[in-house]
Amino acid sequence: MHTVVVGTSGVTASDVLAVARGGALVELSAEALAALTAARGIVDALAAKPDPVYGVSTGFGALASRHISQELRAQLQRNIVRSHAAGMGPRVEREVVRGLMFLRLKTVCSGHTGVRPEVAQTMADVLNAGITPVVHEYGSLGCSGDLAPLSHCALTLMGEGDAEGPDGVVRPAGELLAAHGIAPVELREKEGLALLNGTDGMLGMLVMALADLDTLYKSADVTAALSLEALLGTDKVLAPELHAIRPHPGQGASAANMLAVLQGSALTGHHQDDAPRVQDAYSVRCAPQVAGAGRDTMAHARLVAERELASAVDNPVVLPDGRVESNGNFHGAPVAYVLDFLAIAVADLASIAERRTDRLLDKNRSHGLPPFLADDPGVDSGLMIAQYTQAALVSELKRLAVPASADSIPSSAMQEDHVSMGWSAARKLRTAVDNLTRVLAIELYAATRAIELREGLAPAPASQAVIDAVRAAGVQGAGPDRFLAPDLAAADAFVRAGELVTAAEKVTGPLQ
């Protein structure tokens, strides 16, 4: 089993994916343990003084003005976790919760939170045992951290609330800890607050979305190339010298991918045949420009994610000179903005893919293909309603592209009067990524069928490899009408698993 070692300087996206999705084990480095011990010494020294220090010897948020006596501080830390574990709605996915816990552990190990080493070790032990706290959809405003989601995780460390065991069964957290020999933590000064104040949920979802979109943008280049072939389009617009004079990196990469897929095709370049065309439609000709802009958006989002992965997000924070200072680093705006930006790019990529699919099905624009790619048009409806499904998905994606981060709703008696809504932005991006996968699956389904209907003209070797692979995966080709949903589900699984990219790359080599 792969092990991720957590130090004081942050983690990588690969670390997050390994723990969240791959079930990797977590280990605390000696450096992290030393930093935890040193920071805790500072907190303990401040806790012993009569002067109030926020998060150590005061209440929280709008209640920060009350000084809490020493005998009530353990209760204060327990209470903040219990009261903030107020999420509602459906359960959040296991990979999201594991990413959330791991990223909170990352900040705890920075030595800026004042949490004791044994609390950090318990966090690692829970992850390693495969125990996943029950976290709900609603409860974070993306400011002061992903409060309710993180609180439900902290509740599990205390042996309270519900969690899912490695067997997938939800049980009381105390029972699960006991079954794995893990002692519940008794929180002390600062620790309850330190477990809740972070952008960890939205950051984890950003990292996972970027990993998924890296595959989906390559997939979109492949489906666009297949549609171009099926429509007898020209690949001249993909020439490197054309994209060099508008040097957006993503655009050049997308054009290069499409050109690699189309290498050796007998279907391209028929503009001056029976139905002359001067140019292809925008949805075909501008595919690299649209997909490329999305790629460049991803590059910016990845930069933000890398900065956040290297950050210690807490309030207050322990500084090396012994100060414990309040700050606003928990505000999710940097992450929220790029989550929303990605949702816009995803919606547009899906939109242009749907337009290509519609063109394939329209006898007036498909350059000789049968209406709806039907076997016997009129008797058969072909892919008419598959395009309806694709259109419904695209319409939903446009709604999901409305930014969450443009909204703010005040909370905590106006102390927290501006929030990022980053968690909401992350949740809708996850739905958007799922829907984009389905949209590309439908384009793949239509384009491969259309290419097969172009009798006498051989597709590019990479295109043929994709067709062979998708047929082997259970997605049927042309023929009379049949129950279509299973075909679409198989195409979706093919794209989702990255098999579309794998099939193309067996001929093209690695795509960009």
Side-chain angles (χ1 to χ4, degrees):
M1 177 73 73
H2 176 59
T3 298
V4 173
V5 179
V6 184
T8 60
S9 57
V11 296
T12 66
S14 296
D15 292 335
V16 177
L17 295 170
V19 174
R21 290 180 165 173
L25 299 177
V26 177
E27 180 182 316
L28 309 185
S29 71
E31 175 194 34
L33 291 170
L36 285 160
T37 301
R40 185 63 206 180
I42 293 171
V43 170
D44 286 341
L46 288 171
K49 294 181 178 181
D51 302 326
V53 178
Y54 177 70
V56 176
S57 53
T58 71
F60 310 111
L63 303 176
S65 58
R66 178 178 171 183
H67 183 250
I68 307 299
S69 60
Q70 287 193 1
E71 63 271 15
L72 294 177
R73 289 177 190 170
Q75 181 180 340
L76 169 69
Q77 300 300 321
R78 288 195 301 271
N79 285 351
I80 189 175
V81 173
R82 290 168 175 165
S83 64
H84 286 44
M88 294 184 72
R91 282 182 58 194
V92 171
E93 303 85 358
R94 182 175 185 270
E95 67 177 18
V96 172
V97 179
R98 284 184 62 82
L100 174 78
M101 295 170 66
F102 175 66
L103 287 169
R104 185 78 314 231
L105 176 61
K106 173 267 296 183
T107 283
V108 165
C109 287
S110 69
H112 290 293
T113 67
V115 168
R116 288 170 295 151
E118 49 264 46
V119 176
Q121 186 60 57
T122 302
M123 296 171 76
D125 292 343
V126 169
L127 280 167
N128 292 341
I131 297 171
T132 307
V134 171
V135 173
H136 300 279
E137 180 81 17
Y138 303 105
S140 173
L141 298 178
C143 204
S144 289
D146 289 317
L147 284 175
L150 283 163
S151 297
H152 282 276
C153 294
L155 200 65
T156 294
L157 300 178
M158 292 165 50
E160 301 181 18
D162 293 324
E164 179 185 300
D167 57 0
V169 177
V170 175
R171 297 166 56 190
E175 292 182 14
L176 284 169
L177 294 184
H180 289 85
I182 302 172
V185 297
E186 294 284 345
L187 298 176
R188 288 170 47 181
E189 292 94 343
K190 178 76 170 59
E191 291 178 335
L193 187 60
L195 294 177
L196 316 185
N197 253 313
T199 57
D200 309 295
M202 64 183 92
L203 175 58
M205 286 186 273
L206 172 59
V207 169
M208 286 183 267
L210 285 169
D212 293 338
L213 288 173
D214 184 62
T215 298
L216 288 175
Y217 268 82
K218 293 175 186 176
S219 300
D221 292 337
V222 177
T223 59
L226 293 171
S227 291
L228 184 151
E229 272 192 295
L231 292 166
L232 304 178
T234 179
D235 58 359
K236 290 183 178 180
V237 297
L238 304 173
E241 58 269 25
L242 294 177
H243 298 278
I245 62 176
R246 193 191 191 197
H248 293 288
Q251 177 179 323
S254 288
N257 285 347
M258 289 181 65
L259 198 58
V261 172
L262 293 170
Q263 188 69 35
S265 175
L267 285 161
T268 59
H270 292 271
H271 283 58
Q272 299 306 317
D273 289 355
D274 295 337
R277 278 170 282 164
V278 176
Q279 297 175 322
D280 288 318
Y282 283 11
S283 60
V284 178
R285 187 175 9 135
C286 299
Q289 284 77 9
V290 172
R295 286 169 172 271
D296 292 341
T297 300
M298 286 172 58
H300 171 60
R302 192 171 286 112
L303 177 62
V304 171
E306 288 169 355
R307 290 169 176 163
E308 198 74 359
L309 287 168
S311 300
V313 178
D314 192 16
N315 177 49
V317 292
V318 181
L319 297 173
D321 61 8
R323 287 180 294 149
V324 175
E325 297 285 0
S326 292
N327 66 87
N329 284 343
F330 49 73
H331 199 288
V335 182
Y337 291 168
V338 294
L339 288 163
D340 280 332
F341 200 175
L342 287 171
I344 292 169
V346 164
D348 200 36
L349 186 64
S351 179
I352 198 170
E354 183 276 330
R355 287 294 80 204
R356 289 191 295 264
T357 304
D358 183 66
R359 185 166 288 271
L360 289 167
L361 306 189
D362 184 353
K363 69 175 184 177
N364 296 313
R365 295 180 291 139
S366 66
H367 309 287
L369 292 169
F372 303 105
L373 306 181
D375 186 63
D376 184 5
V379 174
D380 293 311
S381 295
L383 305 191
M384 179 190 295
I385 306 306
Q387 186 270 330
Y388 275 41
T389 299
Q390 195 183 41
L393 289 163
V394 170
S395 183
E396 172 75 2
L397 281 163
K398 292 174 183 177
R399 293 191 291 274
L400 291 168
V402 175
S405 58
D407 185 30
S408 176
I409 188 164
S411 57
S412 192
M414 292 299 286
Q415 176 72 7
E416 299 168 12
D417 58 352
H418 185 275
V419 297
S420 77
M421 302 307 298
W423 173 273
S424 299
R427 295 305 295 164
K428 68 184 183 66
L429 178 60
R430 282 182 69 84
T431 302
V433 170
D434 272 349
N435 284 353
L436 173 62
T437 308
R438 298 180 180 109
V439 167
L440 294 178
I442 293 172
E443 183 182 16
L444 172 67
Y445 188 54
T448 53
R449 178 185 282 209
I451 288 173
E452 289 179 323
L453 291 171
R454 295 289 191 189
E455 296 179 359
L457 293 172
S463 301
Q464 188 61 58
V466 168
I467 293 170
D468 293 343
V470 79
R471 297 290 174 258
V475 182
Q476 299 184 56
D481 280 357
R482 57 182 173 269
F483 180 25
L484 209 55
D487 273 2
L488 298 181
D492 175 44
F494 185 77
V495 174
R496 195 173 296 273
E499 293 178 24
L500 171 57
V501 175
T502 299
E505 288 184 332
K506 287 180 179 178
V507 176
T508 65
L511 295 173
Q512 299 181 47

